Amino acid sequence: MNVPASGSIASLRRAAPEAAPPEAVSVAVEHAALLGESPFWHPQEQVLYYCDIPGRRLHRFDPASGHLDGWAFDTDVACAVPNAAGGLVLALRDGVWQFDPATGAARLCVPAPYDPTHQRFNDGKCDPAGRLWCGTLDETRQPLAALFCLDLDGRLTARAEGCTTSNGLAWSPDARTLYWADTRAHTVYAFDADPDTGHIGERRVFAQFPARAQGQPLDDYLGRPDGAAVDAEGHYWVAMFEGSRVLRLSPEGRVVQEILLPVRCPTMPCFGGADLRTLYITTAREKRPADELARQPWAGCVLQVQVEVPGLPTHAFRGVLVPPAGD
């Protein structure tokens, strides 16, 4: 569905989320996660990985066979990326881990740079050079979270601060713009980025969404920006948590398309399939009202929809991972 030519956020309206699912949207994975997040399409394996953060599981879905398998962990699993050296790199609540899906072997490489009793990693991806960028989430709902970068030499440093819930991480096709959202602030930011050095400039507002007013019905609420992905034309696709939709924004921040969803809480889109024209969308059901879940049986499932413009490929981590001294 295309929105009016003005692209105005306020002009977007939709059917009630319990309405029949749009014909183009279907279920890719029927298994319902508590909080599905951080999906990525593995370019070599041609499978979809995604996390269930509070469920403490990493899932792998093969659309060719329909097979779903996964691994359980002892703490929250925030995100995963391919490792160019083999296996995956995971950001768990307690730090950055190297993980081998073939054997289940896991090794802590970088301890968490925060107090894990009230913070955890959240949204994370690699830039085209292979650095891992990962934001954090402050569970006390204070602006104490940050965006961290695990550089190619294995050093983990904070690159941006003053956030409550890090999300929306993505890069423009030329990697010269980095996007980062603070979900609680209803804001997506953009930074000028140097793809060679990894340096980022001062952040600026890319898109601002209206906060939910006190007493405002959820059916009239557009949602807040959660996870995101960028397509080959440089458009930014963002899941609107509690807004029952995914929005496509132009490189200038103008809304040009929306995909209505039959669930209240989409969490993150990613592009997959051999042609990168399948948009997979993770969703959540954790802490949702029972009557809402009764009307929305797809809550927590992974949804899919075909799109015209392909996405950008997933980038692998290409840096050094060194276990802490004494391990």
Side-chain angles (χ1 to χ4, degrees), residues 113-114 119-123 133-138 142-149 157-167 180-181 203:
Y114 49 75
Q119 288 192 11
R120 64 167 173 81
F121 279 122
N122 200 38
D123 187 15
W133 297 72
C134 194
T136 59
L137 178 153
D138 186 80
Q142 299 300 310
L144 303 174
L147 177 62
F148 288 88
C149 177
T157 57
R159 299 297 186 88
E161 298 178 319
C163 176
T164 301
T165 305
S166 298
N167 266 309
W180 183 50
R203 67 186 179 189

mmCIF file of all heavy atoms in Angstrom, residues 113-114 119-123 133-138 142-149 157-167 180-181 203:
data_model
loop_
_atom_site.group_PDB
_atom_site.id
_atom_site.type_symbol
_atom_site.label_atom_id
_atom_site.label_comp_id
_atom_site.label_asym_id
_atom_site.label_seq_id
_atom_site.Cartn_x
_atom_site.Cartn_y
_atom_site.Cartn_z
ATOM 1 N N PRO A 113 30.137 -4.554 28.445
ATOM 2 C CA PRO A 113 30.722 -3.288 28.913
ATOM 3 C C PRO A 113 29.778 -2.491 29.802
ATOM 4 O O PRO A 113 29.889 -1.260 29.895
ATOM 5 C CB PRO A 113 30.981 -2.550 27.591
ATOM 6 C CG PRO A 113 29.850 -2.991 26.715
ATOM 7 C CD PRO A 113 29.570 -4.436 27.089
ATOM 8 N N TYR A 114 28.830 -3.142 30.438
ATOM 9 C CA TYR A 114 27.801 -2.484 31.241
ATOM 10 C C TYR A 114 27.432 -3.420 32.393
ATOM 11 O O TYR A 114 27.922 -4.562 32.484
ATOM 12 C CB TYR A 114 26.569 -2.187 30.384
ATOM 13 C CG TYR A 114 26.110 -3.395 29.581
ATOM 14 C CD1 TYR A 114 25.443 -4.463 30.181
ATOM 15 C CD2 TYR A 114 26.388 -3.499 28.217
ATOM 16 C CE1 TYR A 114 25.058 -5.587 29.457
ATOM 17 C CE2 TYR A 114 26.006 -4.614 27.481
ATOM 18 C CZ TYR A 114 25.345 -5.649 28.108
ATOM 19 O OH TYR A 114 24.983 -6.761 27.396
ATOM 20 N N GLN A 119 21.076 -3.839 32.286
ATOM 21 C CA GLN A 119 21.258 -3.548 30.872
ATOM 22 C C GLN A 119 21.574 -4.838 30.125
ATOM 23 O O GLN A 119 22.014 -5.827 30.725
ATOM 24 C CB GLN A 119 22.386 -2.537 30.641
ATOM 25 C CG GLN A 119 22.047 -1.125 31.063
ATOM 26 C CD GLN A 119 23.067 -0.116 30.558
ATOM 27 O OE1 GLN A 119 23.921 -0.412 29.738
ATOM 28 N NE2 GLN A 119 22.964 1.116 31.059
ATOM 29 N N ARG A 120 21.318 -4.805 28.819
ATOM 30 C CA ARG A 120 21.699 -5.921 27.957
ATOM 31 C C ARG A 120 21.927 -5.404 26.549
ATOM 32 O O ARG A 120 21.501 -4.306 26.194
ATOM 33 C CB ARG A 120 20.612 -6.998 27.941
ATOM 34 C CG ARG A 120 19.272 -6.568 27.361
ATOM 35 C CD ARG A 120 18.387 -7.789 27.111
ATOM 36 N NE ARG A 120 17.025 -7.457 26.696
ATOM 37 C CZ ARG A 120 16.653 -7.136 25.464
ATOM 38 N NH1 ARG A 120 17.563 -7.060 24.506
ATOM 39 N NH2 ARG A 120 15.380 -6.879 25.195
ATOM 40 N N PHE A 121 22.627 -6.231 25.748
ATOM 41 C CA PHE A 121 22.725 -5.921 24.327
ATOM 42 C C PHE A 121 21.346 -6.079 23.697
ATOM 43 O O PHE A 121 20.483 -6.797 24.192
ATOM 44 C CB PHE A 121 23.715 -6.857 23.641
ATOM 45 C CG PHE A 121 25.153 -6.465 23.811
ATOM 46 C CD1 PHE A 121 26.075 -7.339 24.383
ATOM 47 C CD2 PHE A 121 25.610 -5.226 23.380
ATOM 48 C CE1 PHE A 121 27.405 -6.993 24.522
ATOM 49 C CE2 PHE A 121 26.947 -4.857 23.515
ATOM 50 C CZ PHE A 121 27.845 -5.747 24.087
ATOM 51 N N ASN A 122 21.155 -5.413 22.556
ATOM 52 C CA ASN A 122 19.890 -5.496 21.842
ATOM 53 C C ASN A 122 20.160 -5.678 20.354
ATOM 54 O O ASN A 122 20.652 -6.715 19.933
ATOM 55 C CB ASN A 122 19.023 -4.255 22.120
ATOM 56 C CG ASN A 122 17.559 -4.486 21.818
ATOM 57 O OD1 ASN A 122 17.033 -5.572 22.076
ATOM 58 N ND2 ASN A 122 16.878 -3.487 21.292
ATOM 59 N N ASP A 123 19.883 -4.699 19.559
ATOM 60 C CA ASP A 123 20.018 -4.763 18.105
ATOM 61 C C ASP A 123 21.491 -4.716 17.697
ATOM 62 O O ASP A 123 22.235 -3.858 18.167
ATOM 63 C CB ASP A 123 19.245 -3.564 17.541
ATOM 64 C CG ASP A 123 19.135 -3.568 16.045
ATOM 65 O OD1 ASP A 123 19.390 -4.612 15.425
ATOM 66 O OD2 ASP A 123 18.784 -2.516 15.481
ATOM 67 N N TRP A 133 28.525 -3.780 15.152
ATOM 68 C CA TRP A 133 27.914 -2.678 15.897
ATOM 69 C C TRP A 133 26.724 -3.238 16.660
ATOM 70 O O TRP A 133 25.907 -3.975 16.099
ATOM 71 C CB TRP A 133 27.446 -1.583 14.950
ATOM 72 C CG TRP A 133 28.543 -0.929 14.178
ATOM 73 C CD1 TRP A 133 29.255 -1.465 13.143
ATOM 74 C CD2 TRP A 133 29.062 0.389 14.384
ATOM 75 N NE1 TRP A 133 30.177 -0.562 12.679
ATOM 76 C CE2 TRP A 133 30.080 0.590 13.415
ATOM 77 C CE3 TRP A 133 28.754 1.433 15.261
ATOM 78 C CZ2 TRP A 133 30.802 1.783 13.327
ATOM 79 C CZ3 TRP A 133 29.467 2.629 15.164
ATOM 80 C CH2 TRP A 133 30.489 2.791 14.214
ATOM 81 N N CYS A 134 26.632 -2.898 17.924
ATOM 82 C CA CYS A 134 25.543 -3.441 18.745
ATOM 83 C C CYS A 134 25.134 -2.409 19.784
ATOM 84 O O CYS A 134 25.978 -1.874 20.515
ATOM 85 C CB CYS A 134 25.993 -4.727 19.427
ATOM 86 S SG CYS A 134 24.631 -5.685 20.128
ATOM 87 N N GLY A 135 23.843 -2.121 19.830
ATOM 88 C CA GLY A 135 23.316 -1.195 20.814
ATOM 89 C C GLY A 135 22.880 -1.914 22.070
ATOM 90 O O GLY A 135 22.738 -3.145 22.093
ATOM 91 N N THR A 136 22.643 -1.159 23.112
ATOM 92 C CA THR A 136 22.192 -1.733 24.374
ATOM 93 C C THR A 136 20.811 -1.191 24.738
ATOM 94 O O THR A 136 20.284 -0.286 24.095
ATOM 95 C CB THR A 136 23.188 -1.426 25.510
ATOM 96 O OG1 THR A 136 23.329 -0.005 25.661
ATOM 97 C CG2 THR A 136 24.544 -2.044 25.209
ATOM 98 N N LEU A 137 20.268 -1.773 25.770
ATOM 99 C CA LEU A 137 18.933 -1.428 26.266
ATOM 100 C C LEU A 137 19.027 -1.275 27.770
ATOM 101 O O LEU A 137 19.601 -2.141 28.445
ATOM 102 C CB LEU A 137 17.946 -2.522 25.869
ATOM 103 C CG LEU A 137 16.490 -2.425 26.299
ATOM 104 C CD1 LEU A 137 15.606 -3.177 25.289
ATOM 105 C CD2 LEU A 137 16.274 -3.045 27.687
ATOM 106 N N ASP A 138 18.479 -0.175 28.286
ATOM 107 C CA ASP A 138 18.473 0.048 29.730
ATOM 108 C C ASP A 138 17.111 -0.324 30.290
ATOM 109 O O ASP A 138 16.092 0.286 29.932
ATOM 110 C CB ASP A 138 18.794 1.506 30.064
ATOM 111 C CG ASP A 138 18.937 1.716 31.559
ATOM 112 O OD1 ASP A 138 20.015 1.393 32.088
ATOM 113 O OD2 ASP A 138 17.972 2.174 32.193
ATOM 114 N N GLN A 142 16.048 4.476 31.615
ATOM 115 C CA GLN A 142 16.814 5.710 31.678
ATOM 116 C C GLN A 142 17.709 5.803 30.437
ATOM 117 O O GLN A 142 18.076 4.773 29.859
ATOM 118 C CB GLN A 142 17.678 5.744 32.943
ATOM 119 C CG GLN A 142 16.880 5.685 34.237
ATOM 120 C CD GLN A 142 15.912 6.850 34.367
ATOM 121 O OE1 GLN A 142 16.289 8.007 34.185
ATOM 122 N NE2 GLN A 142 14.661 6.545 34.672
ATOM 123 N N PRO A 143 18.076 7.014 30.012
ATOM 124 C CA PRO A 143 18.903 7.156 28.808
ATOM 125 C C PRO A 143 20.369 6.819 29.060
ATOM 126 O O PRO A 143 21.273 7.645 28.874
ATOM 127 C CB PRO A 143 18.703 8.630 28.436
ATOM 128 C CG PRO A 143 18.432 9.302 29.736
ATOM 129 C CD PRO A 143 17.640 8.317 30.553
ATOM 130 N N LEU A 144 20.602 5.584 29.478
ATOM 131 C CA LEU A 144 21.945 5.130 29.836
ATOM 132 C C LEU A 144 22.505 4.115 28.849
ATOM 133 O O LEU A 144 23.619 3.630 29.028
ATOM 134 C CB LEU A 144 21.926 4.510 31.248
ATOM 135 C CG LEU A 144 21.409 5.420 32.371
ATOM 136 C CD1 LEU A 144 21.315 4.645 33.680
ATOM 137 C CD2 LEU A 144 22.319 6.646 32.520
ATOM 138 N N ALA A 145 21.731 3.795 27.820
ATOM 139 C CA ALA A 145 22.182 2.828 26.827
ATOM 140 C C ALA A 145 23.077 3.511 25.797
ATOM 141 O O ALA A 145 23.147 4.744 25.721
ATOM 142 C CB ALA A 145 20.980 2.177 26.150
ATOM 143 N N ALA A 146 23.750 2.693 24.980
ATOM 144 C CA ALA A 146 24.727 3.227 24.040
ATOM 145 C C ALA A 146 24.824 2.338 22.815
ATOM 146 O O ALA A 146 24.287 1.224 22.782
ATOM 147 C CB ALA A 146 26.094 3.356 24.715
ATOM 148 N N LEU A 147 25.523 2.845 21.818
ATOM 149 C CA LEU A 147 25.846 2.078 20.621
ATOM 150 C C LEU A 147 27.327 1.755 20.672
ATOM 151 O O LEU A 147 28.170 2.648 20.729
ATOM 152 C CB LEU A 147 25.521 2.892 19.360
ATOM 153 C CG LEU A 147 25.885 2.240 18.021
ATOM 154 C CD1 LEU A 147 25.122 0.945 17.809
ATOM 155 C CD2 LEU A 147 25.626 3.214 16.869
ATOM 156 N N PHE A 148 27.646 0.451 20.648
ATOM 157 C CA PHE A 148 29.023 -0.011 20.738
ATOM 158 C C PHE A 148 29.480 -0.558 19.392
ATOM 159 O O PHE A 148 28.673 -1.041 18.587
ATOM 160 C CB PHE A 148 29.154 -1.108 21.797
ATOM 161 C CG PHE A 148 29.031 -0.609 23.208
ATOM 162 C CD1 PHE A 148 27.785 -0.515 23.817
ATOM 163 C CD2 PHE A 148 30.155 -0.214 23.929
ATOM 164 C CE1 PHE A 148 27.655 -0.046 25.117
ATOM 165 C CE2 PHE A 148 30.033 0.253 25.229
ATOM 166 C CZ PHE A 148 28.787 0.338 25.828
ATOM 167 N N CYS A 149 30.782 -0.491 19.183
ATOM 168 C CA CYS A 149 31.388 -1.066 17.979
ATOM 169 C C CYS A 149 32.521 -1.991 18.397
ATOM 170 O O CYS A 149 33.438 -1.574 19.118
ATOM 171 C CB CYS A 149 31.919 0.032 17.063
ATOM 172 S SG CYS A 149 32.769 -0.592 15.586
ATOM 173 N N THR A 157 34.224 -0.368 21.812
ATOM 174 C CA THR A 157 34.145 1.008 22.295
ATOM 175 C C THR A 157 32.749 1.563 22.052
ATOM 176 O O THR A 157 32.070 1.179 21.094
ATOM 177 C CB THR A 157 35.173 1.916 21.588
ATOM 178 O OG1 THR A 157 34.962 1.850 20.171
ATOM 179 C CG2 THR A 157 36.589 1.479 21.919
ATOM 180 N N ALA A 158 32.335 2.484 22.922
ATOM 181 C CA ALA A 158 31.054 3.171 22.743
ATOM 182 C C ALA A 158 31.216 4.263 21.693
ATOM 183 O O ALA A 158 32.161 5.051 21.743
ATOM 184 C CB ALA A 158 30.583 3.777 24.060
ATOM 185 N N ARG A 159 30.288 4.312 20.724
ATOM 186 C CA ARG A 159 30.361 5.303 19.653
ATOM 187 C C ARG A 159 29.251 6.347 19.756
ATOM 188 O O ARG A 159 29.357 7.411 19.153
ATOM 189 C CB ARG A 159 30.287 4.607 18.298
ATOM 190 C CG ARG A 159 31.426 3.626 18.050
ATOM 191 C CD ARG A 159 32.787 4.307 18.028
ATOM 192 N NE ARG A 159 33.839 3.393 17.657
ATOM 193 C CZ ARG A 159 34.209 3.161 16.401
ATOM 194 N NH1 ARG A 159 33.598 3.791 15.404
ATOM 195 N NH2 ARG A 159 35.179 2.314 16.145
ATOM 196 N N ALA A 160 28.168 6.040 20.439
ATOM 197 C CA ALA A 160 27.081 7.004 20.657
ATOM 198 C C ALA A 160 26.400 6.637 21.967
ATOM 199 O O ALA A 160 26.321 5.450 22.332
ATOM 200 C CB ALA A 160 26.088 6.987 19.503
ATOM 201 N N GLU A 161 25.907 7.642 22.689
ATOM 202 C CA GLU A 161 25.311 7.413 24.000
ATOM 203 C C GLU A 161 24.013 8.193 24.136
ATOM 204 O O GLU A 161 23.544 8.837 23.201
ATOM 205 C CB GLU A 161 26.321 7.797 25.090
ATOM 206 C CG GLU A 161 27.597 6.969 25.051
ATOM 207 C CD GLU A 161 28.616 7.389 26.095
ATOM 208 O OE1 GLU A 161 28.784 8.618 26.296
ATOM 209 O OE2 GLU A 161 29.239 6.498 26.714
ATOM 210 N N GLY A 162 23.399 8.112 25.346
ATOM 211 C CA GLY A 162 22.197 8.882 25.626
ATOM 212 C C GLY A 162 20.931 8.282 25.066
ATOM 213 O O GLY A 162 19.985 8.995 24.741
ATOM 214 N N CYS A 163 20.895 6.967 24.984
ATOM 215 C CA CYS A 163 19.745 6.248 24.424
ATOM 216 C C CYS A 163 19.114 5.399 25.521
ATOM 217 O O CYS A 163 19.754 5.076 26.525
ATOM 218 C CB CYS A 163 20.233 5.386 23.260
ATOM 219 S SG CYS A 163 19.004 4.327 22.493
ATOM 220 N N THR A 164 17.855 5.040 25.331
ATOM 221 C CA THR A 164 17.181 4.141 26.275
ATOM 222 C C THR A 164 17.032 2.733 25.698
ATOM 223 O O THR A 164 17.342 1.744 26.360
ATOM 224 C CB THR A 164 15.795 4.686 26.652
ATOM 225 O OG1 THR A 164 15.946 5.977 27.235
ATOM 226 C CG2 THR A 164 15.103 3.774 27.649
ATOM 227 N N THR A 165 16.566 2.644 24.456
ATOM 228 C CA THR A 165 16.355 1.340 23.809
ATOM 229 C C THR A 165 16.933 1.395 22.402
ATOM 230 O O THR A 165 16.311 1.916 21.471
ATOM 231 C CB THR A 165 14.861 0.992 23.736
ATOM 232 O OG1 THR A 165 14.295 1.046 25.048
ATOM 233 C CG2 THR A 165 14.661 -0.403 23.162
ATOM 234 N N SER A 166 18.137 0.867 22.224
ATOM 235 C CA SER A 166 18.812 0.894 20.923
ATOM 236 C C SER A 166 18.138 -0.041 19.945
ATOM 237 O O SER A 166 17.880 -1.212 20.251
ATOM 238 C CB SER A 166 20.272 0.466 21.075
ATOM 239 O OG SER A 166 20.986 1.332 21.912
ATOM 240 N N ASN A 167 17.901 0.452 18.748
ATOM 241 C CA ASN A 167 17.279 -0.348 17.693
ATOM 242 C C ASN A 167 17.593 0.300 16.349
ATOM 243 O O ASN A 167 18.338 1.274 16.253
ATOM 244 C CB ASN A 167 15.756 -0.437 17.893
ATOM 245 C CG ASN A 167 15.347 -1.677 18.659
ATOM 246 O OD1 ASN A 167 15.748 -2.786 18.318
ATOM 247 N ND2 ASN A 167 14.548 -1.507 19.705
ATOM 248 N N TRP A 180 20.337 4.625 13.335
ATOM 249 C CA TRP A 180 20.223 4.093 14.701
ATOM 250 C C TRP A 180 18.984 4.703 15.335
ATOM 251 O O TRP A 180 18.767 5.916 15.240
ATOM 252 C CB TRP A 180 21.468 4.464 15.502
ATOM 253 C CG TRP A 180 21.549 3.943 16.899
ATOM 254 C CD1 TRP A 180 21.353 2.659 17.318
ATOM 255 C CD2 TRP A 180 21.916 4.685 18.081
ATOM 256 N NE1 TRP A 180 21.570 2.551 18.681
ATOM 257 C CE2 TRP A 180 21.909 3.775 19.168
ATOM 258 C CE3 TRP A 180 22.232 6.022 18.311
ATOM 259 C CZ2 TRP A 180 22.218 4.176 20.469
ATOM 260 C CZ3 TRP A 180 22.547 6.420 19.607
ATOM 261 C CH2 TRP A 180 22.536 5.500 20.677
ATOM 262 N N ALA A 181 18.159 3.877 15.959
ATOM 263 C CA ALA A 181 16.911 4.360 16.551
ATOM 264 C C ALA A 181 16.928 4.223 18.063
ATOM 265 O O ALA A 181 17.551 3.311 18.613
ATOM 266 C CB ALA A 181 15.727 3.586 15.975
ATOM 267 N N ARG A 203 25.079 12.837 15.394
ATOM 268 C CA ARG A 203 23.800 12.298 14.947
ATOM 269 C C ARG A 203 22.816 13.429 14.651
ATOM 270 O O ARG A 203 22.898 14.516 15.221
ATOM 271 C CB ARG A 203 23.210 11.354 15.997
ATOM 272 C CG ARG A 203 22.789 11.986 17.304
ATOM 273 C CD ARG A 203 22.362 10.890 18.269
ATOM 274 N NE ARG A 203 21.958 11.418 19.560
ATOM 275 C CZ ARG A 203 21.708 10.658 20.615
ATOM 276 N NH1 ARG A 203 21.809 9.342 20.529
ATOM 277 N NH2 ARG A 203 21.359 11.205 21.760
#
